Amino acid sequence: MDLDSGKCWQNSKKDSWRTTLLLAYQSLGVVYGDLSISPLYVYKSTFAEDIHHSETNEEIFGVLSFVFWTLTLVPLFKYVFIVLRADDNGEGGTFALYSSICRHAKVSLLPNRQVSDESLSTYKLEQYPEKKYDSKVRMLLEKYKFLHTALLILVLLGTCMVIGDGLLTPAISVFSAVSGLELSMSKDHHQYAVIPITCFILVCLFALQHYGTHRVGFFFAPIVLLWLICISALGLYNIIYWNPHVYQALSPYYMLKFFKKTKKQGWMSLGGILLCITGSEAMFADLGHFSYAAIQIAFTFLVYPALILAYMGQAAYLSRNHQNADQISYYVSVPESLRWPVLAIAILASVVGSQAIISGTFSIINQSQSLGCFPRVKVVHTSDKIHGQIYIPEINWILMILCIAVTIGFRDIKHMGNASGLAVMAVMLVTTCLTSLVIILCWHKPPIIALFFLLFFGSIELLYFSASLVKFREGAWLPILLALFLVTIMFVWHYTTIKKYEYDLHNKVSLEWLLALGPTLGISRVPGIGLVFTDLTSGIPANFSRFVTNLPAFHRVLVFVCVKFVPVPFVPPAERYLLGRVGPASLRSYRCIVRYGYRDVHQDVDSFESDLVQRLADFIHYDWSRSPSTDQGNEDHASASDRSSGEHRLAVVGNTEFSKSLSFEVNENMQQASVSFGFQTVESIGDIIEMSAPKERRVRFAIEDPENPTDVQRRQELEDLMAAQQSGTAFILGHSHVKAKQGSSVFKRLAVNFGYNFLRRNCRGPDVVLKVPPASSLEVGMVYVV
């Protein structure tokens, strides 16, 4: 028996290593496409204008030393060994850091926050012993509201710079690869060939996005692997053939010699050197698709050595061939007999690198939309098997147009490199700042460690950022202008969304008002199910009261639906639905809170209606099966305000086996039936809901005694639910118009009255997002004064 168990352990260990190595191989095409093609343009951008290659080789050796230490300190030490550990349930990126900080400190500006969200299985808090300095930093952040806003703006700024990188990377990557034609064509022909070929490749690249990465993804890893082998082999060849002593330039001493000779021009040329780490952020952003070990192995043992050999090989060639600035490119170091094959592989590798950053742009815009920071756009999930692969048509075509405009407008690598470098360093600075907060709040490390991390890596990135910022008029203005435009849009949308929620919260109607509605007031109940969509997690929304006031009737079964997003990467389907009653059982009124994470794609809306009815049936069974003694005990612990609010306990109802399509027959002499489902209970009421630890259990109910009052009432409620479903479902949505209150500042009036309303009119409405059938939609107009 021991031998068998040992074999099993060995097999599982072998399988684990096989899986990790397979993930490491697959990560090449997704994570490292952008980083691996940087040798195409780093030296050419660096020597474009500020410094020149001289006979002493001090400039080329200094640049090589900078490239080596930058690659070592930032991607290897910072990302691989530190930042990758700051994941959020295995997910990475700017929003993952922000989500972790929001869970450990109350700094989130998201509405609808409930204590019940903390019981989600993905709402994990690191179990480290809390220290005094943790509490001080957390209390400082929680005390001042402007720090919450500043933190959100910092996250939005990083997000906008990622979008800017998604615009610039395809342009500079493809343009650099195609520019290899200059060695095989005359200058006149090359001038008129590179731009059209680059634009054609970009159009093809964006036109194929709707097929999804998974359909062509199996080509990506072999292309990047072939490219890495190619540049490392050429680098090794150039080192041996041209200058075997080039390794001496890896010493930091050559950086000092570089600055001593070039002075201010050398500092300005750092804007080209920093391009060697473009794509490093993808290691953290794409962490959720792979694993920490896979990304660490791929970079440490393959990508990093290949890049170092490539840069050393270029430097070795240039140290023996002193070219002018126009002739310094990657292709001059490639033997003439291999230039066409290398050019073909480079173009394919640039397309792969561009594909990765475009997919990342789609992902981060979807996350921004989930957190209420971006206008609603169409999100298409392109793969049923691979989570997170999405396509956003509007953003895709906007990126394509802007990409082509940048290519035609700049027409050279120097300006593109200045713009791309500033965007890259801005994202890295944001990641450094957020990671320093994670070190204190989430890892509970002393503030001196977080301060050292911030100062050490922040100073390196600020040095490069300042060198890029100096090139403002030479291309760096583009990401700054784009970031200001996008931050304005995102902040205006988020600010007004929060104000709308606060207006709804202050103007919600009490349950007593709903209970008072009856035949004596001329209110009638019509057949069917009415789904009232609201942002509130308790109370009756004002738009429903306006609906009933103007049309004195509502449906026999009434469900107040709240679709909300939680600061976690994803919510398991079994924990997505939170159900409870509104008022007594005879009212046939329920509350349904549907929870999503910031990486979840709202893709199950086609089956939302039938799925909701299934969950309601399971909840009805559960609610009637509870013993009166248990209810009484729970009610004794509830406050008087909770009992008077009429909001009953809520239950998390998971996936069920209860009549998968709910097509069972209900007749007068109902025979024995059974229900089997899993749920977790929530033992509180109102806006703040306490949830017990999630433990899935299965309970089987049998209706045996038709004379039992409980069974009769349960059967009657199920019959009403089935009859209402057969009568049809109406989706009651709010159609809002927002305006600033009198006395507001000029900026607020411009932002709300013009900015937000313009975005609302031109983005997708809630009926389109939820795929509500037009024939079943009822919109209630509301004017919000914020």
Side-chain angles (χ1 to χ4, degrees):
M1 184 178 295
D2 293 337
L3 291 174
D4 292 341
S5 62
K7 290 178 181 179
C8 291
W9 179 82
Q10 291 176 1
N11 290 335
S12 63
K13 186 175 182 180
K14 184 182 293 186
D15 291 342
S16 176
W17 274 106
R18 285 179 178 175
T19 303
T20 302
L21 292 176
L22 179 61
L23 287 174
Y25 168 73
Q26 292 175 342
S27 69
L28 294 177
V30 178
V31 178
Y32 299 110
D34 187 11
L35 186 62
S36 64
I37 59 177
S38 56
L40 289 174
Y41 45 79
V42 168
Y43 283 137
K44 189 171 182 63
S45 298
T46 304
F47 289 95
E49 182 177 313
D50 301 304
I51 58 175
H52 300 283
H53 186 25
S54 66
E55 296 289 337
T56 61
N57 289 324
E58 289 181 351
E59 295 87 356
I60 191 66
F61 287 164
V63 171
L64 175 60
S65 185
F66 266 105
V67 168
F68 171 75
W69 287 105
T70 304
L71 278 171
T72 302
L73 292 176
V74 178
L76 187 62
F77 287 170
K78 176 189 169 183
Y79 279 94
V80 171
F81 293 112
I82 300 177
V83 176
L84 286 182
R85 298 182 182 274
D87 65 297
D88 181 16
N89 290 280
E91 299 288 342
T94 306
F95 280 108
L97 294 171
Y98 181 63
S99 174
S100 298
I101 293 170
C102 290
R103 294 207 302 271
H104 288 82
K106 296 179 181 178
V107 295
S108 174
L109 296 178
L110 288 175
N112 296 346
R113 182 171 180 173
Q114 297 174 277
V115 180
S116 64
D117 300 334
E118 299 179 8
S119 294
L120 288 168
S121 59
T122 51
Y123 201 104
K124 294 193 299 186
L125 301 177
E126 284 75 5
Q127 300 300 322
Y128 294 104
E130 188 171 341
K131 309 289 177 56
K132 291 183 179 179
Y133 44 76
D134 300 341
S135 302
K136 291 181 180 179
V137 174
R138 188 174 67 250
M139 289 173 61
L140 180 66
L141 285 174
E142 293 176 350
K143 182 178 179 181
Y144 299 102
K145 189 69 176 290
F146 78 92
L147 292 178
H148 305 179
T149 306
L151 185 62
L152 177 65
I153 292 177
L154 182 67
V155 173
L156 295 183
L157 182 62
T159 302
C160 294
M161 286 299 180
V162 172
I163 298 173
D165 195 20
L167 161 66
L168 294 165
T169 294
I172 188 173
S173 300
V174 178
F175 185 86
S176 301
V178 176
S179 64
L181 294 172
E182 66 184 351
L183 300 179
S184 305
M185 303 174 65
S186 64
K187 187 174 182 180
D188 294 335
H189 290 88
H190 171 262
Q191 182 179 0
Y192 294 105
V194 172
I195 298 298
I197 293 174
T198 301
C199 293
F200 174 76
I201 293 175
L202 289 174
V203 169
C204 294
L205 174 64
F206 283 99
L208 294 174
Q209 290 299 314
H210 69 280
Y211 289 108
T213 305
H214 68 287
R215 298 189 185 274
V216 291
F218 62 92
F219 287 120
F220 288 1
I223 290 173
V224 176
L225 180 61
L226 181 61
W227 172 248
L228 290 172
I229 294 173
C230 177
I231 62 174
S232 58
L234 289 172
L236 193 60
Y237 166 79
N238 286 325
I239 292 171
I240 296 173
Y241 186 80
W242 293 107
N243 190 353
H245 301 288
V246 74
Y247 68 90
Q248 296 176 357
L250 302 182
S251 170
Y253 171 70
Y254 283 88
M255 290 192 289
L256 298 177
K257 292 184 66 176
F258 174 80
F259 273 135
K260 185 177 180 180
K261 181 175 182 180
T262 58
K263 297 182 174 61
K264 182 181 178 181
Q265 286 73 24
W267 166 64
M268 294 176 67
S269 69
L270 294 179
I273 296 174
L274 67 86
L275 295 177
C276 69
I277 54 175
T278 55
S280 300
E281 187 73 21
M283 287 192 289
F284 185 47
D286 293 324
L287 181 61
H289 299 296
F290 303 98
S291 66
Y292 170 75
I295 291 179
Q296 187 180 43
I297 289 172
F299 182 79
T300 307
F301 296 104
L302 182 58
V303 179
Y304 177 74
L307 290 175
I308 297 300
L309 285 175
Y311 288 114
M312 288 178 66
Q314 283 183 266
Y317 175 85
L318 293 174
S319 67
R320 295 290 186 264
N321 299 269
H322 300 90
Q323 314 288 346
N324 56 38
D326 294 335
Q327 293 177 316
I328 292 181
S329 72
Y330 177 77
Y331 293 102
V332 297
S333 63
V334 179
E336 190 172 353
S337 59
L338 297 176
R339 281 178 185 170
W340 283 105
V342 171
L343 176 64
I345 299 173
I347 292 175
L348 291 175
S350 67
V351 170
V352 171
S354 303
Q355 171 65 50
I357 193 65
I358 292 169
S359 300
T361 304
F362 292 158
S363 178
I364 202 163
I365 287 178
N366 179 59
Q367 295 173 34
S368 305
Q369 181 180 252
S370 300
L371 295 177
C373 298
F374 201 86
R376 292 181 294 265
V377 292
K378 182 180 181 180
V379 178
V380 180
H381 201 273
T382 59
S383 175
D384 296 330
K385 298 179 180 179
I386 305 176
H387 175 76
Q389 290 199 358
I390 58 175
Y391 166 68
I392 304 179
E394 296 95 331
I395 302 300
N396 181 68
W397 302 122
I398 291 174
L399 281 178
M400 185 192 75
I401 294 172
L402 292 178
C403 240
I404 294 174
V406 166
T407 304
I408 297 175
F410 284 162
R411 289 177 174 265
D412 66 347
I413 294 178
K414 181 186 74 173
H415 289 80
M416 294 182 190
N418 293 336
S420 179
L422 189 137
V424 168
M425 295 318 302
V427 175
M428 290 187 174
L429 278 170
V430 170
T431 300
T432 301
C433 295
L434 295 178
T435 305
S436 62
L437 287 177
V438 169
I439 291 174
I440 299 176
L441 298 174
C442 306
W443 296 352
H444 303 290
K445 300 296 182 183
I448 189 66
I449 296 178
L451 184 62
F452 175 77
F453 174 85
L454 179 63
L455 291 178
F456 182 75
F457 291 105
S459 60
I460 296 173
E461 291 158 0
L462 273 176
L463 178 65
Y464 282 119
F465 183 78
S466 62
S468 296
L469 199 58
V470 171
K471 304 293 185 66
F472 179 83
R473 298 177 61 183
E474 300 171 9
W477 58 267
L478 180 60
I480 295 177
L481 182 64
L482 183 65
L484 289 176
F485 178 71
L486 289 175
V487 165
T488 302
I489 289 178
M490 296 169 78
F491 188 76
V492 165
W493 186 269
H494 183 77
Y495 172 81
T496 313
T497 301
I498 296 295
K499 290 299 181 182
K500 282 180 58 182
Y501 174 75
E502 292 175 354
Y503 182 90
D504 280 335
L505 195 62
H506 294 150
N507 292 274
K508 66 181 181 181
V509 182
S510 66
L511 183 66
E512 285 75 11
W513 174 86
L514 180 64
L515 296 175
L517 298 177
T520 56
L521 297 179
I523 303 295
S524 60
R525 303 292 292 270
V526 297
I529 300 176
L531 301 182
V532 183
F533 286 87
T534 175
D535 292 330
L536 299 176
T537 56
S538 67
I540 310 301
N543 63 347
F544 179 73
S545 65
R546 175 164 296 188
F547 169 75
V548 174
T549 302
N550 290 276
L551 184 65
F554 58 93
H555 297 82
R556 181 60 183 146
V557 174
L558 195 63
V559 185
F560 295 97
V561 181
C562 172
V563 179
K564 59 176 280 189
F565 289 87
V566 186
V568 296
F570 54 88
V571 176
E575 302 176 39
R576 179 156 292 158
Y577 287 83
L578 192 62
L579 295 169
R581 293 189 185 277
V582 177
S586 58
L587 189 62
R588 302 294 191 263
S589 180
Y590 311 92
R591 184 172 307 283
C592 174
I593 300 174
V594 190
R595 301 177 291 187
Y596 289 91
Y598 58 81
R599 279 191 180 271
D600 280 327
V601 179
H602 196 181
Q603 57 179 328
D604 56 353
V605 288
D606 289 329
S607 60
F608 176 74
E609 178 186 348
S610 59
D611 198 20
L612 177 61
V613 173
Q614 288 183 12
R615 306 300 172 97
L616 281 175
D618 292 342
F619 171 76
I620 291 169
H621 276 278
Y622 160 69
D623 192 56
W624 283 107
S625 67
R626 293 178 302 158
S627 62
S629 59
T630 303
D631 294 345
Q632 184 63 38
N634 289 327
E635 289 176 3
D636 290 340
H637 289 84
S639 64
S641 61
D642 289 338
R643 289 194 299 269
S644 63
S645 69
E647 296 279 354
H648 296 268
R649 69 165 62 184
L650 299 170
V652 178
V653 181
N655 293 327
T656 74
E657 296 178 356
F658 171 61
S659 186
K660 294 181 180 179
S661 62
L662 272 179
S663 58
F664 65 90
E665 296 182 359
V666 180
N667 50 47
E668 294 182 356
N669 298 317
M670 188 173 185
Q671 303 297 324
Q672 178 176 345
S674 63
V675 184
S676 177
F677 61 97
F679 58 85
Q680 299 111 26
T681 60
V682 180
E683 300 296 343
S684 175
I685 303 162
D687 280 328
I688 305 301
I689 303 176
E690 299 285 352
M691 179 184 280
S692 61
K695 295 180 180 179
E696 186 174 353
R697 57 194 179 104
R698 305 182 70 80
V699 183
R700 184 172 297 275
F701 299 103
I703 304 176
E704 297 180 352
D705 185 6
E707 301 300 326
N708 188 324
T710 300
D711 290 340
V712 170
Q713 294 178 37
R714 172 169 50 185
R715 183 181 61 200
Q716 182 60 48
E717 189 169 2
L718 285 173
E719 290 175 350
D720 290 345
L721 179 63
M722 296 305 106
Q725 184 187 24
Q726 294 174 2
S727 298
T729 303
F731 297 80
I732 303 173
L733 307 168
H735 185 81
S736 60
H737 178 79
V738 188
K739 65 178 183 179
K741 64 178 67 173
Q742 291 185 352
S744 299
S745 64
V746 176
F747 292 107
K748 183 176 180 180
R749 291 201 301 269
L750 288 174
V752 175
N753 296 347
F754 298 98
Y756 177 82
N757 285 310
F758 175 80
L759 293 173
R760 181 188 56 80
R761 287 193 301 269
N762 290 277
C763 72
R764 294 166 65 84
D767 55 331
V768 181
V769 174
L770 297 167
K771 294 186 179 179
V772 175
S776 304
S777 174
L778 293 173
E779 292 192 358
V780 181
M782 285 286 294
V783 177
Y784 290 83
V785 181
V786 299

